[in-house]
Structures are given as C-alpha cells and as structure tokens.
Amino acid sequence: MALLQISEPGMAPAPHQRRLAVGIDLGTTNSLVAAVRSSVPEVLADEEGRVLLPSAVRYRSNGYPNIGHAALAERANDPANTVVSVKRFMGRALADVQRLYGELPYDFVDADGMVQLRTVAGIKSPVEVSAEILATLRQRAEGSLGDDIVGAVITVPAYFDDAQRQATKDAARLAGLTVLRLLNEPTAAAIAYGLDNGSEGLYAIYDLGGGTFDISILRLSKGVFEVLATGGDTALGGDDFDARLATLALERLQLGELTEQEQAGLLTAAREAKEQLSTQEHTSLSFNAKGKLQTLEIHRLELVKATEDLVKRTLTAARKALRDAGLSVDEIKGTVLVGGATRMPHVRAAVAEFFGKPPLINLDPDQVVALGAAIQANLLAGNRNPGDDWLLLDVIPLSLGVETMGGLVEKIIPRNSTIPVARAQEFTTFKDGQTALAVHVVQGERELVSDCRSLARFELHGIPPMVAGAARIRVTYQVDADGLLSVAAREMISGVEASIMVKPSYGLGDNDISRMLQDSFQSAEQDMKARALREQQVEAKRMVEATTAALVADKALLSADESNRIECLLHEVEQKKESTDHHAIKDAIDALSRGTEEFAARRMDRSVRQALKGKKLDEIT
Ligand code: AMP
C-alpha cells in the first residue's frame, strides 16, 4: 500500500457526458435517494409517488424479502423477521446492542465482530439488511434516471466510528453501488442550503428525528466545511413526544391498563395528533380501547407543556456542543433544521430563541440530508462547474495513537483533526538486535493503553539487527475522506515495511465517545502520574539491561571496589523497578547513572583508542 496517497474520488467526465450519481440518506427510520437533474437536486419517488422508504426489511422463507412499506405492513404479524432501525446495529457487537437497546424481538447471533440476526431466510448481518435497502433505492434511482449510476454519496452520522462507516461502505458495495464518499449528515444538510456558497462562518445543525437527536457545529471557511463538535442524545426523538401525548390521553380518559395492541393503537394516534398540531391549533386523538373508540380533544399548548423538558434537553446538548467547540451561542451565524420532528412550531421557536435568530426552514427537513448528498455526489462524479471544486472536511472524534514501551500511548493524530489526514512519527527499537516491532493501534484520550480502545495490531518483521535506538521506524497513520484508517510502518534504513487497514471489530457510539472523553478529563492528573511512573519503569529496565551488558563485556576496566559499588547501585535500581513511587525509581536511576559515569568514560576512551589504533594523525578528520 502506498503511503500518503489520498485519492479524490471522481474523475473528469468525457465532454458532453454527464455522469449520473445519487445521494442516499440511509436513515434509522426512513431512507431517501436524491439526484441532481437539470442542475436542481431533487428526491426521487417510487412508482407510487412516495419519497420515504421505511428502513425495514422483512425476510421470508421464499428468499424474496419485503422492503420498506411492504415490510412495515407485516411487522406486527412477523416481528422476528422484520428488521427495523438496522442502522443501530451497524458495526456493533451483540453485547453493545443488548446494552444500548435492551429487549428486541430478534434472534441475535453473536458473530465475530458484528452482531447477526437469525431469520427464516437464514442468518443475516446488518450489512446485508442495509444492502437490501440500498439496492431498492438504487433500482428506484436507475428507474427514474433511466441509466446506470456511476456512484453514490451515502450519509452517516458525524459520530459514526470506523467500524460503522466501514459497515456502511460494505453494505453499499453489496448493493452494487460505488461509494464516491461517505458524508456526514450535518454537512450534507449545510450543503443542501447552499451554505458552502455563502460567506464564511459557523453553523449549527439541529437534527431531531423519530428516535434520535443530533447537534453538530460546523465551520465554513474558504469553501471548506469542518465539523467542530457533535453531540446529542441517541434516545430522544419524535417518538418521545408521541409517548407524552399518549400518557396525557391515558390520564385524561382514566382508562387504566391497556393491552399491547391498544397501546400500539394509542401511540399511532398520538403520533398523528402530534403531526397535525404542527399546522393546527387543536386536534382530536382517537383510538380503540376497552371495546370502544376513545376520543380526546388536544390543544397545541398541551403538547407544548407536556414536552417542554424534552425540548430543553435538546438545548442542553446544543449548549454542550458549543462548549466543546469553545464557542458562544452568538458566534453561530445560522441554524439548519433536519428531521421530521423539527416541524413542531414549539421546537422551532425554542431553537430560534436559543440561537437568537430564526432557523433555516425552506427545505423539507426530511429531505435536506439526501439533497445535500446528491449535490456532493454530482460534484464527485465529475459534473463540476468552475469554482465548484471545494473539498469537504470532517473531524475524527477520538485521538488515534500507538502503544509505546510500558503500555503508554503516543498520540499520532489528535482528536478533532480534520480529515483526510496523514501523520507520521518515527520510533526506534528498544533492544540490541531487535528484528521485529509490534505496532498496536489504539483510539482514545487517555495516557495508558489499558484505558483506550484497541483498534488493531500488526508486526513489522525483517528489521536488520542493530543496537537499540539505531533503527528508524516511521509509522504513518492515514485517515481517508470517509474516516477510515490505515497504518503503515517502515524501517527507513532497510526499507522493510508492513501495513494494515484498520477495520475494528465493533463500534463506538456517541455515548461511548463522550464517556471516554469525560474519563480522560477526570483522569488527567492520575494519568499524568501513571505515565510518569511507566516512563521511569521503562527507563529503569533499560538502565539495568545496558549496565548488566556493560559489566559482562568490560568488567576488566573496573577495580573490584568500583565494580562492587556499581553492582550495589544496579541492585538498588532492580529493587525499585516495580515500585509505585516514580520519584524513588528516578532517584535510583540517577544514582546508577552518576555511579557509572566514570565506567562509561573509560569504555568510550577504549573504543576510541581501538578505532584509532594504527592510524596516522592526518588520517583522522
Ligand atoms: P425522521 O426520523 O426525520 O423521519 O423523523 C420522524 C419523526 O418526525 C417522527 O417522530 C414523526 O412523527 C415526526 N414528524 C414528521 N412530520 C411531523 C410534523 N408535521 N410535525 C411533527 N412531527 C413530525
């Protein structure tokens, strides 16, 4: 693998030929496909004129799954084979899925790396399920565009880690799509509003969907977007507003316990009522329970009151994201609304009040991400107009580092670096004659490897034997435009090299990321102490090995007394080596270092004499 080559997808098109490319919003609840036609981005509808494809796949024993609306229609009868919200499982291990989402109606299989699902059509991975959705969108696009498409830009949440991004790419490949680029959802929304053509500045993307809330802070400068911070709540969305209305209805009507079916009917009615209240001052909520149709009149203000705290929670997350980016609210130049739940007027009003200016709302909040992806896809496919050639940047959420002696982490790419990025650092060998080097790639903010997440390991073999510290091993970390990491190690003198594409076996969510960051802030002092201790322990080990080797080789240069004294000092370092007091280890090392100064000088003199033996003065330069 070549080092430091970052290829920009999309080549120049042949003259007069437009290359068709699509943008796909692969959403948790719904997915969309959009394309630029006659210079205008638009979402593409199915044969029945529907633009939203429910992200649902129902597997059947005949091998032909139902996708989208057809799958949802059968969900209640066949929950175990109807996979919904599969995005939550992408790149995740079974343990993560169970911890995050609790009881689900699927028969999960604990596969190596990513969880899988047992269905009547066999075992399916989340990648295969997503591929069914993507293939349906591809067929829709080819049908309405009347030609093959050269590729797609697929959007992912800004906080998606390597494993989740890789899983999304794999799903696209399986669906027969060439991925031009994975694009962060908030960035796509900003592009849809043409913010990239506007003046420079900071923007907030407020995305309240059915089940999740995401807030992202973007900076546009010199036509380049950079994600400065992301935040949100993976368990807060329009569904919670429905649940509040349902609770309100139950209290008002004093119905007591409902059956599961009645409860489901109530939630559907609550959702409809909530959506109507976005355009009407009041509405009626009707559902079947206790053998009859129950009806309740609801005023918009009641919805507002019942959900005030939910809206506040979104603003708390927004405040935190601003703090993370080191910004104050009045520095934000504009706010973009994404997600169906941002149609609620009280949500819009709260966002306007918080940011001190009305948000951008001209585009359909359900379509804005797909539209932005389509614009980007059109550019990457090579259909650029002069002046369109900007590059998009995102950031990596957690630092990427390498394990060094003593289980310490050396950060190579710091958190929040914009991607694509490539950084290299030189390392050396620890022991004389060392011919192999283990590279352990880790992710996280903490100082010790044991507190970070292990991403990959590989070995560099064939280093020519040299004295410790003489080899020069250049380790290069490269994160491509999709946020995927590859690591290469090269011994600079011999040219031997080894590399790895990092495909971590399980994912990290936004909550994990915030937890890891919080841990690192809270543990900063303790980490520094731990680092100091490990450094002294490594130095002690090195000194003991070097002094022992010198005594074996050159004891003759010392008197018995001198040799005894050095052995005593050496013994002291050996004793202290495993102590938990880094000052004590350092004192012992310093004492040994001082005690061996004279010995080192004599060894040096002798080597120089040997090297110069037999040479004339004028031969020595
Ligand atoms: P999304 O995940 O972006 O498709 O958003 C779905 C959420 O948006 C669901 O909770 C819907 O009930 C909600 N939603 C869609 N339309 C409206 C509307 N007109 N008013 C309020 N909420 C809506």
Side-chain angles (χ1 to χ4, degrees), residues 134-175:
L134 290 170
T136 306
L137 293 173
R138 177 173 69 93
Q139 285 154 12
R140 180 192 291 188
E142 286 175 350
S144 51
L145 299 172
D147 203 350
D148 285 353
I149 51 179
V150 296
V153 165
I154 300 178
T155 58
V156 289
Y159 55 77
F160 252 27
D161 70 3
D162 274 348
Q164 292 164 303
R165 284 169 196 263
Q166 187 63 54
T168 308
K169 272 190 137 180
D170 291 346
R173 251 193 305 273
L174 209 55

Side-chain angles (χ1 to χ4, degrees), residues 21-36 41-46 49-56 67-69 87 130-142 144-145 149 151-156 168 172 177 181 183 185 188-189 192 207-210 271 337-340 343 363-375 377:
V22 293
I24 294 181
D25 172 3
L26 184 60
T28 308
T29 328
N30 293 303
S31 297
L32 296 94
V33 59
V36 174
E42 56 183 320
V43 291
L44 308 176
D46 66 7
R50 299 173 299 201
V51 294
L52 294 183
L53 175 72
S55 305
I67 320 268
H69 297 280
K87 190 169 173 179
S130 302
E132 296 285 1
I133 299 163
L134 290 170
T136 306
L137 293 173
R138 177 173 69 93
Q139 285 154 12
R140 180 192 291 188
E142 286 175 350
S144 51
L145 299 172
I149 51 179
V153 165
I154 300 178
T155 58
V156 289
T168 308
L177 284 165
R181 178 176 285 183
L183 180 64
E185 290 162 6
D207 179 352
L208 189 61
R271 178 178 173 147
L337 295 187
V338 181
R343 289 200 183 90
L363 297 175
D364 183 326
D366 284 324
Q367 300 182 0
V368 50
V369 167
L371 293 172
I375 297 172

Side-chain angles (χ1 to χ4, degrees), residues 158-159 226-231 320-326 394-401 409-419 421 423 442-446 477 479 509-510 512-521:
Y159 55 77
E226 197 183 332
V227 182
L228 294 183
T230 64
K320 185 169 174 302
L322 283 171
R323 213 175 32 237
D324 283 355
D394 291 325
V395 294
I396 55 162
L398 290 171
S399 302
L400 295 165
V409 178
E410 182 69 27
K411 291 193 182 113
I412 305 226
I413 303 184
R415 149 183 157 72
N416 274 340
S417 298
T418 51
I419 56 171
V421 58
R423 296 262 172 90
V442 296
Q443 185 172 38
E445 304 315 302
R446 303 281 300 271
Y477 277 44
V479 182
D510 50 346
D512 300 297
I513 291 173
S514 9
R515 180 180 47 71
M516 287 170 90
L517 285 176
Q518 231 155 31
D519 280 359
S520 78
F521 295 144

Side-chain angles (χ1 to χ4, degrees), residues 481-544:
D482 299 324
L484 297 175
L485 168 70
S486 46
V487 179
R490 180 186 170 88
E491 202 291 306
M492 303 303 282
I493 298 166
S494 61
V496 291
E497 64 181 11
S499 66
I500 195 166
M501 181 89 185
V502 179
K503 282 194 189 181
S505 53
Y506 58 94
L508 272 185
D510 50 346
N511 290 338
D512 300 297
I513 291 173
S514 9
R515 180 180 47 71
M516 287 170 90
L517 285 176
Q518 231 155 31
D519 280 359
S520 78
F521 295 144
Q522 280 163 4
S523 328
E525 195 188 329
Q526 182 197 335
D527 273 12
M528 289 320 291
K529 282 195 187 131
R531 173 175 269 275
L533 178 63
R534 291 286 175 92
E535 277 172 357
Q536 292 305 333
Q537 286 171 337
V538 170
E539 180 58 13
K541 194 161 168 246
R542 197 192 62 76
M543 277 290 280
V544 167

Side-chain angles (χ1 to χ4, degrees), residues 13-19 383:
H16 318 302
Q17 185 200 340
R18 278 191 86 74
R19 292 150 53 92
N383 307 318

